[in-house]
Amino acid sequence: MKGIVFTEFLDLVEQKFGLETVQQIIDQSDLESNGVYTSVGTYKFTEMVSLLTNLSDITKIAPNDLLKVYGTHFFKALADNYGSILNTYKSPLELLASVDEHIHVEVRKLYPDAELPRFEITEQKDNKLTMIYYSSRALYAFAHGLMEKSFEHYNQDSEISYKLLEEDGTVVQFEITKK
Ligand code: HEM
């Protein structure tokens, strides 16, 4: 998992819960990196699971609720760091329909070791997109947050629902409607 995912996560934890909580979750997790991340480095996904689980234990907020908020926060980091990619899209639905075939393809060129999900579009209309999320990491709540923030970025309203096609969250269908 790329370092930017960790640095932005710890930034958000600091903003919402304070530096002490950042230190606490790092201390409670058994981290090969010792909790030192650079945005271009690559670290084990299990470190993120550990940090998230400990944050959930401390805050009593479910991991998926934390991940969804983290998705909205991460969108801002994408807009700041990859504005040139984001700005090529004129609407949130166009953006979301392009994640798999364009955006993440560019990301993979920049970082060949990136661990990216796959999105399969099963229905595409002017105001609606249905796509299936596939990832062994089951970060669908993170995806949900990114989707919601995509609409806010363009000052549009959305209605997003999802259905787990695999119980463990590794295959999830999203129905995304522009309101
Ligand atoms: C400019 C736009 C975008 C850029 C540059 C970008 C880049 C990235 C990067 C660097 C990662 C981390 C890969 C790793 O840790 O190895 C990632 C992961 C991810 N991205 Fe994107 N992304 C963009 C837009 C989006 C959007 C709009 C979505 C909305 C659905 C999305 C969904 C995800 C998900 C769900 C992951 C987590 C990995 C997983 O689920 O397996 N991305 N992306």
Side-chain angles (χ1 to χ4, degrees):
M1 175 160 263
K2 296 310 295 176
I4 189 173
V5 184
F6 290 89
T7 54
E8 287 300 328
F9 179 73
L10 295 178
D11 263 10
L12 176 69
V13 175
E14 185 181 342
Q15 267 177 41
K16 300 269 185 206
F17 307 106
L19 207 49
E20 253 174 50
T21 306
V22 172
Q23 203 52 54
Q24 216 179 339
I25 60 170
I26 289 174
D27 290 346
Q28 288 178 4
S29 306
D30 187 17
L31 306 171
E32 211 173 274
S33 70
N34 294 315
V36 182
Y37 302 104
T38 65
S39 63
V40 291
T42 303
Y43 308 90
K44 283 195 178 140
F45 174 60
T46 49
E47 294 207 3
M48 179 52 71
V49 176
S50 220
L51 291 167
L52 183 70
T53 308
N54 282 309
L55 182 64
S56 171
D57 286 347
I58 291 168
T59 60
K60 310 284 178 231
I61 301 172
N64 271 345
D65 292 345
L66 292 167
L67 273 175
K68 187 170 172 216
V69 174
Y70 179 38
T72 60
H73 173 87
F74 194 68
F75 189 93
K76 277 179 259 156
L78 292 178
D80 290 346
N81 290 284
Y82 303 95
S84 56
I85 302 182
L86 267 187
N87 292 336
T88 57
Y89 302 100
K90 307 219 162 4
S91 78
L93 280 176
E94 192 199 335
L95 166 74
L96 294 173
S98 307
V99 170
D100 197 68
E101 289 203 341
H102 301 119
I103 298 178
H104 280 170
V105 173
E106 292 306 312
V107 172
R108 168 119 19 246
K109 286 183 199 160
L110 291 170
Y111 311 115
D113 57 355
E115 296 176 295
L116 298 162
R118 189 161 70 80
F119 288 99
E120 183 197 351
I121 296 173
T122 53
E123 188 191 11
Q124 191 169 14
K125 293 190 195 146
D126 277 356
N127 289 324
K128 188 179 169 193
L129 179 67
T130 304
M131 57 185 196
I132 303 177
Y133 164 91
Y134 296 88
S135 169
S136 58
R137 289 165 293 282
L139 296 172
Y140 62 93
F142 179 70
H144 192 184
L146 281 165
M147 290 172 187
E148 275 192 4
K149 199 69 191 176
S150 299
F151 279 84
E152 279 178 38
H153 182 75
Y154 291 92
N155 293 313
Q156 290 186 16
D157 290 327
S158 61
E159 197 173 279
I160 301 171
S161 63
Y162 66 88
K163 187 164 81 191
L164 269 61
L165 302 184
E166 287 290 345
E167 242 174 77
D168 60 4
T170 55
V171 184
V172 179
Q173 175 180 278
F174 282 94
E175 283 194 0
I176 307 155
T177 311
K178 174 183 182 285
K179 286 277 119 189

